[in-house]
Amino acid sequence: MRIGIFGGTFDPPHVGHLIVVADAVESLALDRVLFVPAAAQPLKAGAIVGSPDQRLAMTRLLIGDDPRLAADGIEIARGGLSYMIDTVSELTRRSPGDEWFVLVGADVIHSFARWRDPLGIMQMAGLVVLRRGDIELATLAEWMPRDAQGRVPTYQVLASRRVDVTSTEVRARLGAGRSIRGFVPEAVREYIERGGLYRAGNGFQELPGT
């Protein structure tokens, strides 16, 4: 099988995540993509609002019944800071016969060289950059890690549709009491709004059955 790994905080997950992953599934002929919510992001210390379990629950609701997609709680179960090198190592060890790809969005690729052991990630899985049209290929090349000889390992660039929806915007709309219809699937919206997550001054209560 050809399997993609799509990591992130998903705080909250939104339709933009679905669209870029759907493009990757079709363009790369992937059999499955695993959405992997981080327990804690090393480069986003203190910036995550939703709890790990809440974000995993919302990611499962985002995916719904699409058989090509799955939410994997591997990083949440591991706890602590989430490093993609640890996740790729464990997943490839579980299924050594599969072909693995790490999907990295345009919003985080600039920091990829600062991830823990980015060259190790690229050795175990194909790196696929989900590129928006406003990012030059030369700029992407500058952001890539280099080996001891100064060479950049092979990676793929996949043209991705520009989707102007971000988790930051969704949280801001909720905090201001504005609607998020159309920004997230209805199941995610109901989970957030019934529980009061991201609302200014409101606590969040886990909802049964999610």
Side-chain angles (χ1 to χ4, degrees), residues 127-145:
L127 178 68
V128 180
V129 181
L130 306 176
R131 171 188 175 242
R132 296 196 307 253
D134 58 345
I135 300 179
E136 298 292 336
L137 292 175
T139 300
L140 289 177
E142 291 174 1
W143 289 339
M144 288 297 116

Side-chain angles (χ1 to χ4, degrees), residues 5-164:
I5 305 169
F6 188 55
T9 54
F10 302 113
D11 190 28
H14 53 72
V15 294
H17 294 130
L18 282 180
I19 291 172
V20 297
V21 166
D23 285 345
V25 168
E26 294 177 358
S27 298
L28 301 172
L30 299 178
D31 297 292
R32 175 164 288 192
V33 173
L34 303 181
F35 284 63
V36 181
Q41 284 274 19
L43 301 181
K44 287 187 178 180
I48 299 176
V49 179
S51 76
D53 287 342
Q54 291 161 4
R55 291 182 288 105
L56 179 59
M58 287 187 288
T59 302
R60 287 176 173 150
L61 292 171
L62 176 84
I63 291 168
D65 59 358
D66 191 329
R68 305 169 302 171
L69 311 178
D72 195 311
I74 180 175
E75 293 186 348
I76 290 173
R78 191 166 61 233
L81 294 177
S82 299
Y83 294 102
M84 182 57 71
I85 185 65
D86 297 333
T87 300
V88 174
S89 296
E90 185 170 344
L91 290 173
T92 54
R93 187 166 53 248
R94 284 185 194 171
S95 303
D98 291 327
E99 188 174 4
W100 292 89
F101 301 86
V102 174
L103 311 179
V104 180
D107 57 334
V108 296
I109 190 60
H110 63 87
S111 67
F112 179 70
R114 294 189 286 123
W115 292 16
R116 176 174 287 183
D117 196 4
L119 295 175
I121 294 172
M122 298 173 78
Q123 289 171 354
M124 289 186 289
L127 178 68
V128 180
V129 181
L130 306 176
R131 171 188 175 242
R132 296 196 307 253
D134 58 345
I135 300 179
E136 298 292 336
L137 292 175
T139 300
L140 289 177
E142 291 174 1
W143 289 339
M144 288 297 116
R146 285 166 169 74
D147 63 19
Q149 288 72 45
R151 298 172 299 196
V152 176
T154 300
Y155 62 97
Q156 297 182 65
V157 178
L158 176 64
S160 177
R161 284 175 285 182
R162 184 183 181 97
V163 182
D164 290 324

